[in-house]
Amino acid sequence: MNPQETDFAQMVREHKSTIYTVCYMFSKDQDEVNDLFQEVLINLWKGFSTFEGRSDVRTWIYRISLNTCISQERKKKKARSVPLSMNINLFEDRDEDSRQVEMLRKRINKLGAFDRAIILLWLENMSYEEIGQVVGISTKNVSVRLFRIKEQLKNMSND
């Protein structure tokens, strides 16, 4: 492996849980998570040689991950799909914590893509300033949007 490939592999190892979390929040099943993860890695690799380090690498990874997932979601809406039933649910788990996480994920999936991105970054314990840098809005706007998103999530049903 050349030095650039080694650096890229190291970056992916260090931030794979971040990438996976973003993909998970924008997907409906494990196959979709894996597909999104691959798309994010492709886009990260395409931009890796031009990343100048003006922002934190974590911020750059979030931006690429979120943009990739949002773009794929838009493409999905344009394409007509036929659901296949395999009679298994890879996301199914029996413990209470898993059920609560799944309930939160379902509620978050009801939000628009931009709001989903903001709440995901907040759940990842990013500061308002970092969130603003990733999504391209002011810190004050992050604060206002997060307040509205939290209220919206509280008022959603558990369907």
Side-chain angles (χ1 to χ4, degrees):
M1 260 199 283
N2 69 38
Q4 185 179 16
E5 290 171 342
T6 303
D7 290 346
F8 181 78
Q10 179 63 30
M11 180 193 71
V12 170
R13 274 192 297 279
E14 290 174 8
H15 297 281
K16 68 182 175 187
S17 65
T18 297
I19 300 166
Y20 186 86
T21 301
V22 172
C23 295
Y24 178 79
M25 295 307 291
F26 279 84
S27 67
K28 292 181 179 50
D29 59 45
Q30 188 64 48
D31 289 336
E32 194 172 9
V33 170
N34 294 337
D35 291 344
L36 286 171
F37 192 87
Q38 279 186 325
E39 286 295 320
V40 169
L41 291 182
I42 289 167
N43 289 334
L44 286 170
W45 176 251
K46 286 178 182 177
F48 189 67
S49 63
T50 59
F51 177 64
E52 297 173 351
R54 282 189 255 156
S55 67
D56 183 62
V57 70
R58 184 172 173 233
T59 302
W60 180 73
I61 288 171
Y62 268 115
R63 184 177 289 272
I64 298 290
S65 300
L66 288 168
N67 286 341
T68 300
C69 291
I70 290 169
S71 294
Q72 291 298 318
E73 187 170 279
R74 286 183 186 138
K75 289 178 186 176
K76 249 188 341 193
K77 287 181 180 177
K78 290 180 182 177
R80 186 172 178 252
S81 64
V82 178
L84 299 175
S85 176
M86 306 220 4
N87 294 328
I88 58 171
N89 182 355
L90 298 173
F91 281 28
E92 191 173 291
D93 206 335
R94 304 279 184 241
D95 69 19
E96 183 61 27
D97 288 340
S98 295
R99 283 194 291 260
Q100 286 185 347
V101 167
E102 182 60 16
M103 182 184 74
L104 179 60
R105 187 183 73 81
K106 284 179 179 178
R107 286 183 180 194
I108 290 171
N109 274 332
K110 291 178 185 179
L111 298 171
F114 192 71
D115 288 346
R116 230 181 308 160
I118 292 171
I119 196 73
L120 170 64
L121 296 172
W122 180 77
L123 288 169
E124 288 290 314
N125 294 320
M126 289 184 84
S127 70
Y128 287 14
E129 184 178 328
E130 289 174 305
I131 294 169
Q133 288 173 354
V134 171
V135 298
I137 60 176
S138 71
T139 304
K140 180 66 176 168
N141 200 346
V142 170
S143 174
V144 170
R145 289 188 81 103
L146 268 172
F147 177 80
R148 291 178 183 161
I149 292 166
K150 290 176 193 176
E151 287 301 310
Q152 206 175 344
L153 289 171
K154 283 181 199 173
N155 295 323
M156 284 183 186
S157 66
N158 290 334
D159 303 346

